Amino acid sequence: MEDDAWQDLVGISADPPNRRDKCEKCKRPVVVCWCPALPHPPEAVDSQIVILQHPAEEKRSLRTALMLQLGLEPGKCVVYKGKRFPNHRNHADLQRILDSPQTLLLYPSRDSVPLDEVDHSAGPYTLVLIDGTWPQAKAIYASSPALHRLRQVKLIAVGISDYIIRTQPTEGCLSTLETAAQCLAVLESRPELRQTLVRPLHTLCKYQLDNGAVEHQSKEFLLKNNQYPKLIGKRLSRLLRNTACDGNEES
């Protein structure tokens, strides 16, 4: 018995097993690459999107911020990582952005105004998005005084997320990609931008559904229809009561 076990151990190759080839752009296995759905060439826009990303978002396998970066011309979507901003890794570059009068922050505060009401002729603008769950976004905002000084805007009538393989807290929550695409459609006065930039997300969801994933309803929908399987916490309860999601529950 011991000899057999030893022979099995000796027979294990010292070389690592072959891994599936990965796309150089999206870093996903080639068989599930969504790059063919990206706009070709990447979309040229006057506005810029700056994403302040919570470190936990980087670990998500289905994050969407990269779709936005690849869907726009180089430099039109910049991602900074951290739990407060600016920080020691990005202070110089980010501080210049936050000091600019052309920078807007998408955040659902009492002072935020509908993005549609911003004077678009005074652009182009840089739009700052906080990428993380709602609790993470609130924590980043609370710990980043520089963000409090920015003009704050919000989206009105955001609709239902196309990210149907992920459970959102409320019906009005969008992924980072969808949020940015809808904002750019408004700022650039190009309604077609939303559909064009979100196309890779549709491709991703279709592949997942074709291979066993199921379509997810929001927690709000499940609760209203008595389908949510467990008790909700105080945090989600407050969110559902306010229904004031900033549309940025995922990356």
Side-chain angles (χ1 to χ4, degrees), residues 39 41-47 71-73 76 116 120 180-197:
E43 289 290 343
V45 294
D46 294 325
S47 310
L72 297 174
E73 282 188 332
K76 288 300 182 177
D116 306 71
H120 298 168
Q182 189 155 332
C183 288
L184 285 173
V186 174
L187 290 174
E188 301 286 315
S189 299
R190 293 173 54 190
E192 76 282 358
L193 268 180
R194 187 190 191 285
Q195 183 67 21
T196 301
L197 292 173

Side-chain angles (χ1 to χ4, degrees), residues 17-173:
N18 291 329
R19 296 186 177 182
R20 290 183 294 177
D21 292 335
K22 289 188 176 182
C23 170
E24 294 184 0
K25 294 174 65 176
C26 70
K27 308 305 179 184
R28 289 176 61 80
V30 173
V31 294
V32 292
C33 170
W34 37 253
C35 290
L38 290 166
H40 295 286
E43 289 290 343
V45 294
D46 294 325
S47 310
Q48 183 185 40
I49 299 293
V50 171
I51 296 177
L52 307 182
Q53 188 177 78
H54 191 279
E57 288 301 309
E58 195 171 12
K59 300 176 184 178
R60 297 185 186 276
S61 61
L62 301 181
R63 59 192 187 275
T64 65
L66 183 59
M67 294 178 179
L68 182 65
Q69 285 185 292
L70 296 176
L72 297 174
E73 282 188 332
K76 288 300 182 177
C77 176
V78 183
V79 178
Y80 296 99
K81 296 176 172 58
K83 293 183 178 181
R84 65 184 304 274
F85 298 92
N87 56 49
H88 67 280
R89 290 183 298 175
N90 54 47
H91 186 276
D93 292 339
L94 185 55
Q95 192 62 57
R96 284 195 295 270
I97 294 172
L98 299 181
D99 287 341
S100 171
Q102 297 301 105
T103 299
L104 308 173
L105 173 67
L106 186 73
Y107 196 79
S109 70
R110 294 179 179 178
D111 299 324
S112 60
V113 299
L115 187 60
D116 306 71
E117 297 180 8
V118 173
D119 182 7
H120 298 168
S121 65
Y125 293 104
T126 295
L127 184 68
V128 176
L129 306 180
I130 302 178
D131 184 18
T133 64
W134 179 232
Q136 290 168 350
K138 288 202 299 184
I140 287 175
Y141 180 79
S143 63
S144 305
L147 300 182
H148 303 177
R149 298 190 293 268
L150 297 177
R151 283 189 290 168
Q152 297 179 8
V153 295
K154 58 186 175 183
L155 282 172
I156 302 298
V158 296
I160 304 297
S161 175
D162 291 330
Y163 200 175
I164 56 177
I165 58 173
R166 179 176 171 84
T167 301
Q168 303 287 6
T170 71
E171 295 291 273
C173 287

Side-chain angles (χ1 to χ4, degrees), residues 209-226:
L209 291 172
D210 288 346
N211 287 273
V214 296
E215 186 170 336
H216 290 211
Q217 299 289 352
S218 72
K219 293 179 182 178
E220 179 184 12
F221 176 91
L222 296 175
L223 286 166
K224 286 180 179 179
N225 291 273
N226 298 316

